[in-house]
Amino acid sequence: MKKIMIPDVILCILSAVLCLGTKFGFHACGPKEDGGWMACHWAEQAVFGLGIVMLVLSIMMTFLLKDGKTKSGIALSLAGMAALALAVPNHLIMLCMMTDMRCHSVMKPAVMIISIFILGFSIAAYIFHRKEDSET
Amino acid sequence: MLLKAEKITKQFLRESRNTNQFCAVQETDFTLEAGSFAILTGRSGSGKSTFLHMLSGLMTPTSGRVLIQEKEIYSLSDKDLSAFRNQHIGVIPQGQSALYSLNVLENICLPYTLYHKNAHQEEALALMEQLEIAHLQAAYPSELSGGELRRMAIARAFLRKPELILADEPTSDLDDENTKIVFAFLQKAAREGAAVLAVTHETDVSQFADKVFCMKAGVLTEQNSL
Amino acid sequence: MKLANSLPVRNLKGKPVRTAVLLLLTTLLTLTVFGGTLMIISLKTGLHSLESRLGADIMVVPYEATTKSNLETIVLQGATGYFYMDNEKYQKIASCEGIGQISAQFFLASASSGCCSLSVQIIGFDPDTDFTITPWIKKSYAQNLQKFDIVVGNDLNAFVGDTLTFYGVDCHVAAKLDKTGTSFDTAVFTNSETIKALIQSSVDKNMNEFKNINPDAVVSCVLINVAEGYTVEEVLNDINIHVKKVKAIQTKDMISGVSDSLSGIADIISLLIAVVWIAGIIILLLAFTMSVNERKKEFAVLRMLGASQRKLAAMVMQEALLVCLLGSLLGIGLGLLILLPFNQLIEELLNLPFLLPSAGQMLTDTIAAVLVSVLSGGIAVSASAFRISRMDTALILRGEN
């Protein structure tokens, strides 16, 4: 059971992409001229925070933990967090006024796509680890 | 008279020069009765395989006719000839003949599955039992030894209980023990009513056969064996 | 029964690397065909949408609006700005010959407000005479707008029931418009009564560039549809000659710049599709030829076991079509995954009107793309399928030993 599962590794990569990408790649709109932030910045921060926790959890699941039950629990929590990340831009935290701004046109779709993939792979990982557990 | 070849010849064009024709098999008559086991020997390049392929319906002779069960096989359409071969002729080819993406049992059942028929797995398993490869049914060809692969090809050729079995050097890469197993199996098939023709290099297997033929430079002669 | 049907499937599974490469190829092929055509269609839909939004033959604006190239950036690129001319110009224009429909519009740009650093273009129309904006608004909002009601463009992150404040005046969002893929998506629309109040408030707060204007005595632009029996050029010239300090512009000319760059991009995309398609077919042709050559012996064995020429050809064909079908579905999935969420980004990068077509048209495009790539696969494999069915079985059975 020490074999490293492919969905787990993909989850690590996707979580890393989510938290690093929101900060440096597909970040939200920049600061205003007076130095203040627009609403979308807080959505970016929230996704970044979620991403860090997801990265830590997925690394634990992939490389550190051995027990199938624990792993499947982590996979489930990753699924929940992905759903949360999916809802953050523009639903839980409003983005900017115009949808042709960067937070709408770049950050929101990128976060959405990555979150959907994390959701899918974490459900797959959950199923795998459940099976793994019942086999032992 | 199960198999009858009338004056079949085969000529090939050699190289690119049209004038240089090479006669692989000279005008040959040949008959094989149901229930008999014939062996065909000869040196490499003497035309044995060509002869065998003409009998199996895989190679149209330059002239002459091949009749199986009174049916002239080369007058059939490709579709009918293929179906006829599938049902009435079991061919065991030279060398490897496995489909590597299928497991052993699936390989053996191919003659049925090609025609969308239900795979007769019990019959296949019985054949495998006789050839001592039943334990390999779920294995893949890449995991098998040469002897096991050859026995797989034999089981496949016999699956549809064909009236005619044509084997092209079925034991070329096998050790003595495996060779004996194969020839004993072919002999048994002949005893049960099939007509069997085996091309071989082996010299000490004539004991299994009813007739021994020899091919030399495209000319077939019967040897008075035993 | 099951196995025979799945023999092509088993062959594909048996060679995962080869299958993956073929899949990747067909995926890319479909992605370019599908994505490319969808982009062209979206650009054309966008242009069409822009045309119908402008919806008038002639636009008359104050002369200084054209010299500052204000007008085009407002109408075509979604920049904000405003300009005014005296109401009497409107009366003069209306008295020109050949005017069919005529209506005035009023522009204002909101000051950057607390939430956003960008200002919003506000367009006011006269509900009694308007013929361009009202039909569009009616699609989303059937009632008449009351004072301080506004209708927001689709790209504004505001929803029905929200309150937006412009120059200290609270406005109520009565409706949200359908997406047009043009600069109008970021604008706010309201009736003349409301916008006059907003202009007055901006003047009162000393935030309007035009210091001392009387909102009741000005208009920003005049839209005209030519009456029957007159050509657009005649009316245009008539206005430009008889009314001073204004400029009448044929809207067709305004759009021509857009449609020129649009057809340029459409040409490039078409070329790209053609190149990828031809290259794709050639690569598939080579790939299938190689794969069939490599498996000659396998096919010879099947032939020996009684597969007819037609059966073998069908098998090779099925394998190829299966790969192409799967690959094309993947390609379409990928294309949708890129184009749907990022269509706003594409619109900005292209700086052209860009409107995704309706679901129905998208479905047609999808089916067409699948057909094209499956057909390409079929064409690419047909030579191999023919060759394999005509091969010299006996020679192969023997030769490779």
Side-chain angles (χ1 to χ4, degrees):
Chain A
M1 288 308 122
K2 273 174 203 142
K3 240 173 91 182
I4 290 170
M5 304 276 244
I6 293 172
D8 293 9
V9 178
I10 294 175
L11 279 173
C12 289
I13 296 170
L14 286 174
S15 309
V17 170
L18 185 67
C19 78
L20 294 179
T22 4
K23 212 72 206 138
F24 305 106
F26 40 87
H27 57 79
C29 311
K32 286 192 284 189
E33 277 158 23
D34 60 8
W37 293 101
M38 288 178 273
C40 59
H41 177 66
W42 311 114
E44 174 190 311
Q45 295 288 70
V47 174
F48 176 60
L50 274 169
I52 288 179
V53 181
M54 285 157 93
L55 182 59
V56 171
L57 283 179
S58 57
I59 288 175
M60 277 170 64
M61 175 174 75
T62 314
F63 302 106
L64 303 176
L65 295 169
K66 302 244 161 5
D67 176 40
K69 268 206 183 75
T70 322
K71 284 185 174 194
S72 62
I74 290 185
L76 263 194
S77 71
L78 280 175
M81 292 175 78
L84 188 58
L86 191 64
V88 164
N90 214 27
H91 298 287
L92 295 179
I93 301 177
M94 280 290 256
L95 298 180
C96 287
M97 188 62 188
M98 273 183 240
T99 54
D100 57 357
M101 291 171 74
R102 189 182 162 87
C103 54
H104 282 279
S105 64
V106 178
M107 184 183 87
K108 190 175 131 192
V111 169
M112 268 172 61
I113 290 174
I114 297 171
S115 304
I116 288 171
F117 274 109
I118 293 180
L119 192 64
F121 277 106
S122 55
I123 290 170
Y126 169 73
I127 294 167
F128 276 130
H129 290 308
R130 274 294 296 271
K131 247 187 213 158
E132 188 181 73
D133 183 54
S134 63
E135 274 167 14
T136 46
Chain B
M1 202 73 59
L2 185 87
L3 168 69
K4 190 174 182 192
E6 292 176 351
K7 294 186 175 158
I8 54 171
T9 64
K10 186 69 194 179
Q11 290 183 328
F12 292 111
L13 294 179
R14 236 185 201 172
E15 306 288 303
S16 54
R17 278 171 291 167
N18 295 357
T19 47
N20 198 348
Q21 288 210 331
F22 161 64
C23 198
V25 175
Q26 316 235 2
E27 223 173 70
T28 303
D29 288 319
F30 179 76
T31 56
L32 194 61
E33 311 281 345
S36 68
F37 183 10
I39 282 179
L40 174 57
T41 60
R43 291 165 63 175
S44 300
S46 59
K48 306 184 300 287
S49 294
T50 305
F51 182 64
L52 196 83
H53 285 135
M54 285 195 287
L55 298 184
S56 65
L58 288 168
M59 186 188 274
T60 316
T62 312
S63 63
R65 307 196 300 163
V66 177
L67 293 107
I68 298 174
Q69 290 175 330
E70 313 290 324
K71 202 173 245 170
E72 194 183 335
I73 59 172
Y74 287 104
S75 66
L76 299 172
S77 67
D78 174 69
K79 187 170 173 249
D80 293 339
L81 175 56
S82 298
F84 185 82
R85 185 167 55 244
N86 177 266
Q87 210 176 346
H88 301 287
I89 309 174
V91 184
I92 302 162
Q94 272 182 31
Q96 303 298 358
S97 63
L99 266 65
Y100 285 82
S101 50
L102 304 181
N103 70 26
V104 172
L105 183 61
E106 288 163 340
N107 258 293
I108 292 174
C109 290
L110 266 175
Y112 277 118
T113 45
L114 269 179
Y115 280 81
H116 299 274
K117 294 211 161 62
N118 284 326
H120 293 215
Q121 295 209 347
E122 317 76 51
E123 293 166 33
L125 283 170
L127 277 167
M128 292 170 81
E129 204 76 58
Q130 290 177 47
L131 288 159
E132 297 169 35
I133 51 169
H135 58 290
L136 296 169
Q137 52 171 298
Y140 280 82
S142 53
E143 304 160 359
L144 266 58
S145 71
E148 287 163 341
L149 281 173
R150 188 52 56 88
R151 279 180 276 165
M152 184 193 88
I154 293 169
R156 187 174 57 192
F158 275 92
L159 184 68
R160 295 206 67 178
K161 299 189 182 69
E163 290 86 350
L164 177 62
I165 302 283
L166 298 169
D168 194 359
E169 307 206 13
T171 58
S172 57
D173 46 3
L174 300 188
D175 58 28
D176 284 352
E177 200 190 323
N178 273 311
T179 302
K180 293 263 156 51
I181 295 174
V182 169
F183 273 94
F185 189 81
L186 292 176
Q187 186 187 35
K188 188 167 148 272
R191 295 289 161 271
E192 287 166 4
V196 183
L197 174 63
V199 168
T200 184
H201 272 113
E202 311 285 341
T203 46
D204 55 349
V205 293
S206 45
Q207 45 168 323
F208 293 101
D210 306 316
K211 284 177 181 172
V212 176
F213 294 89
C214 181
M215 194 142 225
K216 205 179 243 175
V219 179
L220 187 75
T221 48
E222 184 170 355
Q223 293 186 335
N224 293 322
S225 64
L226 301 179
Chain C
M1 189 81 187
K2 258 186 207 157
L3 179 66
N5 285 338
S6 70
L7 203 53
V9 178
R10 297 295 299 265
N11 288 337
L12 292 175
K13 277 188 186 166
K15 294 265 182 199
V17 176
R18 180 173 57 90
T19 309
V21 171
L22 286 175
L23 266 181
L24 190 71
L25 260 173
T26 47
T27 302
L28 288 178
L29 183 69
T30 320
L31 180 64
T32 34
V33 172
F34 176 69
T37 45
L38 196 59
M39 278 195 50
I40 292 176
I41 293 174
S42 299
L43 285 169
K44 291 198 167 144
T45 318
L47 180 68
H48 183 73
S49 162
L50 176 64
E51 277 167 355
S52 61
R53 285 293 60 76
L54 286 176
D57 297 332
I58 296 170
M59 236 180 137
V60 187
V61 293
Y63 197 79
E64 65 261 29
T66 58
T67 52
K68 284 193 283 178
S69 78
N70 225 338
L71 179 71
E72 277 195 28
T73 56
I74 292 173
V75 174
L76 300 178
Q77 274 148 39
T80 55
Y82 47 93
F83 38 77
Y84 303 104
M85 54 188 172
D86 286 343
N87 213 349
E88 77 181 73
K89 306 276 185 208
Y90 174 76
Q91 305 303 339
K92 270 193 178 161
I93 296 164
S95 65
C96 284
E97 244 181 277
I99 305 285
Q101 289 169 298
I102 182 164
S103 181
Q105 287 192 347
F106 311 85
F107 294 166
L108 183 65
S110 77
S112 37
S113 50
C115 83
C116 296
S117 60
L118 289 177
S119 64
V120 175
Q121 180 72 20
I122 308 170
I123 299 173
F125 58 91
D126 180 356
D128 299 331
T129 55
D130 176 67
F131 56 93
T132 58
I133 296 170
T134 309
W136 178 31
I137 290 178
K138 285 283 182 240
K139 284 187 202 164
S140 327
Y141 189 67
Q143 288 142 275
N144 290 323
L145 293 178
Q146 303 301 310
K147 191 167 184 185
F148 300 123
D149 274 357
I150 54 173
V151 176
V152 295
N154 198 275
D155 281 354
L156 284 179
N157 202 15
F159 304 92
V160 174
D162 287 358
T163 299
L164 298 182
T165 308
F166 301 113
Y167 298 106
V169 180
D170 285 345
C171 295
H172 166 251
V173 178
K176 188 162 183 165
L177 295 164
D178 290 340
K179 192 162 172 63
T180 66
T182 67
S183 59
F184 292 112
D185 285 341
T186 54
V188 166
F189 299 88
T190 187
N191 59 23
S192 44
E193 192 184 8
T194 310
I195 200 162
K196 279 174 184 170
L198 293 179
I199 294 171
Q200 186 61 58
S201 177
S202 73
V203 172
D204 292 348
K205 287 187 158 36
N206 206 13
M207 290 167 87
N208 198 308
E209 283 176 38
F210 300 82
K211 298 291 175 201
N212 295 314
I213 55 160
N214 173 11
D216 289 320
V218 295
V219 299
S220 291
C221 79
V222 178
L223 297 176
I224 296 163
N225 264 349
V226 175
E228 248 178 273
Y230 293 86
T231 68
V232 175
E233 283 78 12
E234 281 169 6
V235 179
L236 193 81
N237 288 336
D238 197 37
I239 296 170
N240 279 336
I241 290 165
H242 291 103
V243 187
K244 300 264 153 58
K245 284 186 179 174
V246 301
K247 173 94 177 161
I249 304 159
Q250 195 170 348
T251 47
K252 224 193 264 168
D253 292 341
M254 280 176 76
I255 301 176
S256 72
V258 175
S259 62
D260 282 353
S261 44
L262 185 142
S263 66
I265 288 180
D267 287 350
I268 292 171
I269 296 174
S270 311
L271 188 73
L272 187 76
I273 293 175
V275 169
V276 170
W277 201 64
I278 293 169
I281 287 194
I282 292 174
I283 297 172
L284 282 179
L285 191 85
L286 292 177
F288 285 131
T289 309
M290 271 161 57
S291 124
V292 162
N293 265 348
E294 187 185 295
R295 292 157 60 205
K296 255 188 199 160
K297 176 96 189 198
E298 231 172 76
F299 292 117
V301 168
L302 288 171
R303 193 96 172 81
M304 177 194 86
L305 293 174
S308 62
Q309 292 178 338
R310 184 191 275 268
K311 255 200 177 103
L312 277 196
M315 209 173 82
V316 173
M317 202 59 137
Q318 269 175 38
E319 264 180 47
L321 295 184
L322 216 61
V323 168
C324 288
L325 186 68
L326 209 63
S328 62
L329 293 180
L330 281 175
I332 281 164
L334 207 61
L336 291 177
L337 209 59
I338 295 170
L339 281 169
L340 291 189
F342 289 106
N343 79 81
Q344 194 74 50
L345 187 65
I346 295 168
E347 180 182 335
E348 274 149 57
L349 291 177
L350 293 175
N351 203 8
L352 284 172
F354 186 89
L355 184 60
L356 286 173
S358 63
Q361 182 152 21
M362 213 114 96
L363 190 70
T364 321
D365 193 30
T366 305
I367 293 169
V370 172
L371 282 181
V372 163
S373 56
V374 171
L375 207 69
S376 325
I379 293 169
V381 81
S382 53
S384 306
F386 180 77
R387 233 161 38 85
I388 210 67
S389 71
R390 292 297 142 100
M391 70 182 170
D392 189 343
T393 314
L395 206 66
I396 293 161
L397 278 179
R398 196 162 72 149
E400 282 179 4
N401 198 24

